[in-house]
Amino acid sequence: MSGITGVGYAEWLKLRRSKGLWLLLFILLVKHVIEFSVYYQDLAYSPSRLTWSWTYYTHYRQFALGLMPIISGLMVGYVLIGEFQHNTVTGMLTYPIRRSTFLLGKYAAVFLLTVLVYGIDFGLKAAGGLLFGLPPVPWTMWLRYAECGLLLILISFAFVPLFACISLAFRNYIANMAAGTFAAVAGEVVWDVLDAAVRFPFTYPGILVGSLLDIPSRTAGVPELLQGAVGLALIFVLFLAVSLRQLSRMDIHAHEE
């Protein structure tokens, strides 16, 4: 096993041996416990509002806008910043491996982690709905919810190179956490201005899910799917190029102390 696959697999082994997976699981469990308490109150005061589509829409909106930017920042920080903190980057970049392969392997590991996070989250959400006695839904609707999750995986991954640039520039978790928190707060602020929300990259996931689940446009906004997709593609390509440039220009000896 070599190249991008080898680097990604090595990161996966490191995560399994650390407490990183347990931390992700704990964060997701806390998120769902808070959410389930809100559902319990809705059952008492407005039971007609508690439907599968509405709960999935509100959940994915909050998850994609509020929590996922912070989780993405932490995941990217884990696979990149640790190399500098433990000074292992010096040894890694002296091996006969292209620096682009090294970085893209890290991206592959983050992509797998993103799939894992959304997969666990989807399972917890479905289990919670069954626990609260929501009516059965056809398989076609389950596939629609899964489609929303798949799109959100791709959208979340579009911001990975941005967080990588921050990691390579500052080499500490504080910068990643600050960027993730800023994205979450900015998303909540922009969300109330629907014309802006349909164009803002970090609110676009909620808009897209609302459109796919037929949530009323006055709540979800009017999706401009092509504009949003092009904007995300530009963000991914631009910061991917910048991060590759950052690593290729990096003087590895500057990290030896």
Side-chain angles (χ1 to χ4, degrees):
M1 185 179 296
S2 60
I4 295 174
T5 304
V7 175
Y9 183 68
E11 287 299 331
W12 173 251
L13 291 178
K14 284 164 57 179
L15 187 68
R16 283 181 55 188
R17 293 167 184 164
S18 70
K19 296 181 175 62
L21 286 175
W22 294 108
L23 177 60
L24 285 176
L25 181 61
F26 176 75
I27 292 173
L28 293 177
L29 284 174
V30 170
K31 169 74 169 68
H32 283 277
V33 167
I34 296 172
E35 196 171 84
F36 293 161
S37 67
V38 174
Y39 293 163
Y40 183 79
Q41 294 176 2
D42 284 346
L43 281 175
Y45 297 104
S46 55
S48 61
R49 185 180 180 182
L50 202 62
T51 64
W52 278 107
S53 290
W54 177 257
T55 56
Y56 265 101
Y57 163 66
T58 55
H59 169 77
Y60 276 141
R61 174 199 156 184
Q62 295 166 357
F63 188 67
L65 267 65
L67 190 58
M68 202 57 204
I70 299 174
I71 291 180
S72 293
L74 285 174
M75 289 192 299
V76 176
Y78 174 82
V79 300
L80 280 176
I81 296 172
E83 298 282 0
F84 294 96
Q85 289 183 339
H86 300 101
N87 203 28
T88 52
V89 67
T90 302
M92 285 294 297
L93 297 182
T94 57
Y95 291 155
I97 180 174
R98 294 176 63 89
R99 297 189 182 199
S100 59
T101 301
F102 172 78
L103 188 59
L104 293 176
K106 301 286 188 179
Y107 286 171
V110 174
F111 180 77
L112 291 177
L113 286 173
T114 304
V115 172
L116 179 65
V117 167
Y118 273 104
I120 295 175
D121 178 75
F122 183 82
L124 289 173
K125 182 70 184 69
L130 296 174
L131 178 66
F132 280 92
L134 295 183
V137 295
W139 279 107
T140 54
M141 205 62 201
W142 282 114
L143 292 175
R144 178 62 61 86
Y145 298 143
E147 179 187 2
C148 292
L150 177 60
L151 287 171
L152 288 173
I153 288 172
L154 297 176
I155 290 171
S156 296
F157 189 69
F159 298 103
V160 166
L162 169 60
F163 287 112
C165 289
I166 295 172
S167 298
L168 291 171
F170 294 96
R171 301 169 200 165
N172 65 70
Y173 288 95
I174 296 177
N176 284 49
M177 289 294 296
T181 303
F182 173 79
V185 173
E188 289 296 334
V189 171
V190 174
W191 183 264
D192 293 329
V193 185
L194 294 183
D195 289 340
V198 295
R199 298 177 177 85
F200 188 63
F202 284 98
T203 51
Y204 176 73
I207 302 293
L208 181 62
V209 169
S211 171
L212 290 174
L213 299 182
D214 299 322
I215 301 299
S217 59
R218 62 182 176 83
T219 302
V222 180
E224 298 180 13
L225 303 183
L226 181 59
Q227 270 194 7
V230 170
L232 289 171
L234 289 175
I235 289 173
F236 178 81
V237 172
L238 173 63
F239 287 102
L240 175 63
V242 172
S243 64
L244 290 171
R245 184 65 173 170
Q246 281 177 295
L247 194 64
S248 65
R249 290 176 57 86
M250 191 174 294
D251 180 10
I252 59 175
H253 298 293
H255 310 295
E256 297 177 345
E257 295 182 359

